[in-house]
Amino acid sequence: MATLDVNVEVSARHVHLSQEDIEKLFGAGYELKVKKEIAGGFVAEERLTITGPKRSMERVAILGPARKGTQIELAATDARSLGVDAPIRLSGDLAGTPGIKLTAENGNSVETEAGCIVAQRHVHLSEEDAAKLGVEQNQNVDLKIDTGKKRALVFGDVIVRIGGPVSVVHLDTDEGNAACTGRACVGTVIAE
Ligand SMILES: [Zn+2]
């Protein structure tokens, strides 16, 4: 058994937009404004209201740049509140997922045909760290989080994504709230 401590990042609900949907919402040739650079892209200044069968959620973050397909990443609690049956999927795996209504502050809206997912928890590992753990792409590992504040938890089914400069675990807010306390959180990846 091999273990490795890795930083944990918790992502709140957010939307990635296709260029087509950006233009439907904001106008022809529109480019999202960069509010803050993050790994692999940026948080946009623009925000959206997402509306499901049961309710709306306002001021949802958009992450740029534009992607091939519009993707709405929700925590399971968000999906339940909105009334959408979002499946647990890896980013980009959108076939057969439910759509939702997206509305910009200018009043323009778009009904997506698909795109709502609950992101499958995963760990990005550098090539070096993957070798240390002896794990392969798409393998499942466990993740133990114990911040010493009575919320110790071991997650199974954490999928390995190899590549990128820095190793980091990505959880959603349900998972983060269940196990992490405070802003900084470190987990231990456990590979058989
Ligand atoms: Zn990720």
Side-chain angles (χ1 to χ4, degrees):
M1 194 179 74
T3 65
L4 182 73
D5 285 353
V6 176
N7 284 325
V8 176
E9 288 180 1
V10 177
S11 303
R13 55 181 172 264
H14 62 271
V15 177
H16 300 275
L17 292 171
S18 66
Q19 186 59 35
E20 189 187 348
D21 286 341
I22 289 172
E23 298 195 2
K24 281 183 192 163
L25 288 163
F26 300 105
Y30 191 86
E31 285 183 36
L32 295 171
K33 297 188 185 80
V34 178
K35 182 183 177 194
K36 188 178 142 199
E37 306 268 357
I38 55 169
F42 60 91
V43 180
E45 281 184 16
E46 297 84 352
R47 290 186 175 247
L48 294 172
T49 296
I50 56 180
T51 304
K54 280 165 69 177
R55 74 165 76 185
S56 294
M57 291 181 172
E58 294 179 356
R59 297 192 53 74
V60 175
I62 304 170
L63 301 192
R67 286 209 183 173
K68 194 155 166 264
T70 289
Q71 175 169 303
I72 303 94
E73 292 185 44
L74 305 168
T77 303
D78 299 330
R80 179 175 285 230
S81 297
L82 291 160
V84 293
D85 190 14
I88 294 165
R89 294 282 183 90
L90 283 173
S91 188
D93 180 11
L94 304 179
T97 58
I100 205 161
K101 184 181 180 184
L102 305 173
T103 307
E105 281 175 10
N106 60 23
N108 291 346
S109 66
V110 60
E111 296 263 5
T112 73
E113 282 181 18
C116 290
I117 64 168
V118 174
Q120 185 173 352
R121 54 180 169 254
H122 56 278
V123 55
H124 298 275
L125 291 173
S126 65
E127 299 271 356
E128 194 186 351
D129 284 346
K132 270 189 217 164
L133 281 165
V135 295
E136 294 175 355
Q137 181 79 326
N138 295 327
Q139 182 178 333
N140 280 327
V141 293
D142 290 344
L143 173 75
K144 180 169 186 181
I145 297 177
D146 184 359
T147 59
K149 292 179 181 171
K150 302 186 175 74
R151 291 231 123 181
L153 194 57
V154 179
F155 291 103
D157 296 324
V158 180
I159 198 160
V160 169
R161 312 295 289 168
I162 298 174
V166 62
S167 296
V168 60
V169 171
H170 282 159
L171 301 180
D172 68 22
T173 46
D174 283 350
E175 295 162 330
N177 288 337
C180 298
T181 46
R183 288 190 73 87
C185 184
V186 176
T188 304
V189 175
I190 304 164
E192 287 300 318

